[in-house]
Amino acid sequence: MTRSKTRGTRERRAERAERILDSAAELVLRIGYDKTTIDDVARRSAVAKGTIYLHWRNREALFTALLRRERLAALTRVRELVGADSAPASLGRFCAHLALAYHERPLLMATVLGDHEILGRLARSEPAGRTGPAGSGFAEYLEALRGAGLVRTDWTVGAQVNVVTSVLAGFFTSAPLMPAELAVPAPDLAPILGETVERALAPAAPFTPDQRADLARHTADFLDRAVDISARKYSATFEQTA
Amino acid sequence: MTRSKTRGTRERRAERAERILDSAAELVLRIGYDKTTIDDVARRSAVAKGTIYLHWRNREALFTALLRRERLAALTRVRELVGADSAPASLGRFCAHLALAYHERPLLMATVLGDHEILGRLARSEPAGRTGPAGSGFAEYLEALRGAGLVRTDWTVGAQVNVVTSVLAGFFTSAPLMPAELAVPAPDLAPILGETVERALAPAAPFTPDQRADLARHTADFLDRAVDISARKYSATFEQTA
DNA sequence: AATTGACCAAATACAAGCATCTGGTCATTT
DNA sequence: AAATGACCAGATGCTTGTATTTGGTCAATT
């Protein structure tokens, strides 16, 4: 039985990859993508440079992995927050958790805000990822909620996706620019903006217990799917081919 | 009576200033602030370079004037739109008009978005003006509406300012990044986001005719004041001293 | 009195050559 | 089989010197 030994090796390998990404994250946040060299990352992770190339095809793949890991971590955290929420499930609570999970992660914030200081040339090459969760089947999720009578149908799905995206984008971009006397701490503001989405999209009539359960299930499903896709994308960055 | 002659001279002077700003605007939008030279502006306006310095102290003042004129124009347009609106007065309609008025003006959009391509060094030196209407007494306006029972008081004014600012900021930043299949034209989206603000801030009970009138008056007053301040600021850019 | 545009100092852009750094490889070591 | 780090070519940055551009002025012109 080589089982335990094999698992141990694989585990250590994965651990090392995480360690390397941790170093990369710290360096990028401190000195920016452009100035972060593979040598720096290697030294900080206490591995040789060649070892890094055992994990990723090249520099670009390393940083792609970093960003995708970050996204995965945020989505996982959202799922956790949604699951542990003491308040009844609602689209607004979901949005609040999503906003906070992103907000907690400086690297994700940098991508959402298109921070040139941190992203450097990365900002120019990949202006995507700035629409937040607009991709990844959010429209389909809303569509399902509409079908179940859990979201109004007075606006088109497209419009509703835009509302959610706008509110979230506004949270990320405008909150940091607020003059001190009007600033509201992010943990306070997020639920308020969540409630804003709620009031815009939720039906007038209060939910029945069944509807609540339905909503929770749909949301959990959506998050499971999103986490799954995100995890796959993260894993894919380790592939050496292509 | 030198009246008509004097007025004619002053008028022509003002006209010329506008012409110069028009040229500056066009050039900035086409080639960016950094590359737009006073010579260019002069040539395009068919005046000598020295003439420009008869209007403004220096280059900086010229472009400050340009931005302030733009803001003034937008606010004036909002006042016009609000006044001519066939729908009953509401905070939501107000926000929708505000959003559209800004959206129609590429230079304002550039400042709101912090567009480095267009603003060049200006983006770094003046990161303000990105909070939209957060300044200029918007909080006081909301406060007045709260006092009159025209806006809920379940949240603090600060929170409400943040909601409005976020929704507007989200409109500006996220709409242009939307994938084509989810994109909603700005003229359609603005009222929807206005309604989003409305649902978040308006009281549950419908307004009485008196309340409607009150709301309209408050809004008109606020806009008058904002336009007035903006006009003063614009005028101030022409001063040669300091 | 208003307007012009030649003029100037300072800033900016460009070029060339040189030094350093960095992504990526791979023979060697563990 | 896994990990290393010396090594290399190309990219990046730096320095110095030069050419061009540009903001701003002001004597001459209208």
Side-chain angles (χ1 to χ4, degrees):
Chain A
M1 275 217 194
T2 63
R3 182 81 185 298
S4 74
K5 207 171 194 175
T6 304
R7 233 196 38 159
T9 316
R10 273 195 199 151
E11 223 166 57
R12 290 171 137 267
R13 215 184 125 86
E15 252 172 46
R16 188 176 58 187
E18 298 284 322
R19 233 176 53 230
I20 292 170
L21 290 179
D22 289 343
S23 308
E26 195 175 323
L27 287 167
V28 167
L29 283 175
R30 216 177 50 222
I31 62 177
Y33 171 80
D34 285 349
K35 299 197 174 183
T36 300
T37 72
I38 299 286
D39 269 307
D40 286 342
V41 176
R43 202 168 318 123
R44 227 197 143 63
S45 321
V47 298
K49 185 154 55 153
T51 307
I52 290 186
Y53 288 89
L54 295 176
H55 287 281
W56 296 278
R57 204 179 332 119
N58 54 25
R59 184 180 133 103
E60 200 194 330
L62 166 65
F63 289 101
T64 303
L66 179 55
L67 259 38
R68 292 190 178 171
R69 184 181 73 157
E70 206 71 6
R71 197 138 47 211
L72 172 58
L75 286 174
T76 307
R77 177 99 175 104
V78 172
R79 186 166 62 175
E80 185 187 313
L81 288 170
V82 167
D85 197 345
S86 60
S90 77
L91 189 58
R93 294 298 299 171
F94 171 40
C95 289
H97 292 314
L98 189 62
L100 263 188
Y102 266 67
H103 190 269
E104 275 169 355
R105 286 184 172 66
L107 261 179
L108 282 185
M109 283 299 280
T111 65
V112 168
L113 298 175
D115 186 333
H116 282 220
E117 201 79 25
I118 291 178
L119 298 182
R121 351 174 72 85
L122 215 52
R124 272 154 273 250
S125 62
E126 261 203 77
R130 294 190 55 185
T131 53
S136 36
F138 186 73
E140 290 73 8
Y141 164 63
L142 272 190
E143 195 79 79
L145 295 187
R146 288 160 62 104
L150 300 166
V151 156
R152 295 193 198 189
T153 50
D154 53 348
W155 294 337
T156 65
V157 212
Q160 290 173 327
V161 172
N162 271 270
V163 167
V164 174
T165 311
S166 290
V167 172
L168 289 174
F171 172 69
F172 298 136
T173 59
S174 84
L177 297 172
M178 271 294 171
E181 70 273 17
L182 288 172
V184 174
D188 298 341
L189 187 53
I192 289 174
L193 288 173
E195 179 65 17
T196 298
V197 168
E198 184 73 12
R199 291 179 186 175
L201 300 199
F207 288 132
T208 66
D210 276 4
Q211 281 182 311
R212 287 266 179 223
D214 229 32
L215 179 51
R217 191 175 48 75
H218 272 110
T219 306
D221 283 356
F222 170 62
L223 276 171
D224 285 345
R225 230 169 316 143
V227 167
D228 189 60
I229 292 173
S230 190
R232 270 180 223 284
K233 283 204 175 184
Y234 173 50
S235 300
T237 57
F238 292 96
E239 248 110 81
Q240 292 291 342
T241 52
Chain B
M1 252 144 269
T2 63
R3 182 83 184 296
S4 73
K5 207 171 194 177
T6 304
R7 235 198 36 160
T9 315
R10 275 193 196 152
E11 223 166 57
R12 289 170 138 267
R13 217 185 124 85
E15 252 172 45
R16 188 175 58 187
E18 299 282 323
R19 232 175 55 227
I20 292 170
L21 290 179
D22 289 342
S23 308
E26 195 175 324
L27 286 167
V28 167
L29 282 175
R30 218 179 45 222
I31 62 177
Y33 171 79
D34 285 350
K35 300 198 172 182
T36 300
T37 73
I38 298 286
D39 270 305
D40 286 341
V41 177
R43 201 167 318 123
R44 231 199 140 61
S45 322
V47 298
K49 184 156 54 153
T51 305
I52 289 185
Y53 288 88
L54 295 175
H55 286 281
W56 297 278
R57 206 180 329 119
N58 53 26
R59 183 180 133 103
E60 201 193 331
L62 166 65
F63 288 102
T64 303
L66 179 55
L67 258 39
R68 293 189 177 171
R69 185 181 71 157
E70 207 71 5
R71 198 142 43 214
L72 173 59
L75 285 173
T76 307
R77 176 99 175 106
V78 172
R79 185 166 64 174
E80 186 188 311
L81 288 171
V82 167
D85 198 345
S86 60
S90 77
L91 189 57
R93 294 297 299 171
F94 172 38
C95 289
H97 293 315
L98 191 62
L100 263 188
Y102 266 66
H103 190 267
E104 276 169 356
R105 286 184 172 66
L107 261 178
L108 282 185
M109 283 300 281
T111 65
V112 168
L113 298 176
D115 184 334
H116 282 220
E117 201 79 24
I118 290 178
L119 297 182
R121 350 175 71 87
L122 258 190
R124 271 153 274 248
S125 62
E126 262 203 78
R130 294 189 53 183
T131 53
S136 37
F138 186 73
E140 290 74 8
Y141 164 63
L142 271 190
E143 195 79 78
L145 295 187
R146 287 160 63 103
L150 301 166
V151 155
R152 295 192 198 190
T153 50
D154 53 348
W155 293 336
T156 66
V157 211
Q160 290 173 326
V161 173
N162 271 269
V163 167
V164 174
T165 311
S166 291
V167 172
L168 289 174
F171 172 68
F172 298 137
T173 59
S174 83
L177 297 172
M178 270 296 171
E181 70 273 18
L182 287 173
V184 174
D188 297 341
L189 187 53
I192 288 174
L193 288 173
E195 179 65 16
T196 298
V197 168
E198 184 74 11
R199 292 179 185 174
L201 301 199
F207 290 132
T208 66
D210 276 4
Q211 281 182 311
R212 286 266 179 225
D214 229 32
L215 179 52
R217 191 176 46 75
H218 272 110
T219 307
D221 283 357
F222 170 62
L223 276 171
D224 285 346
R225 231 169 314 144
V227 167
D228 189 59
I229 291 172
S230 189
R232 271 179 221 286
K233 284 204 174 183
Y234 173 51
S235 299
T237 56
F238 292 96
E239 249 110 80
Q240 292 292 340
T241 53

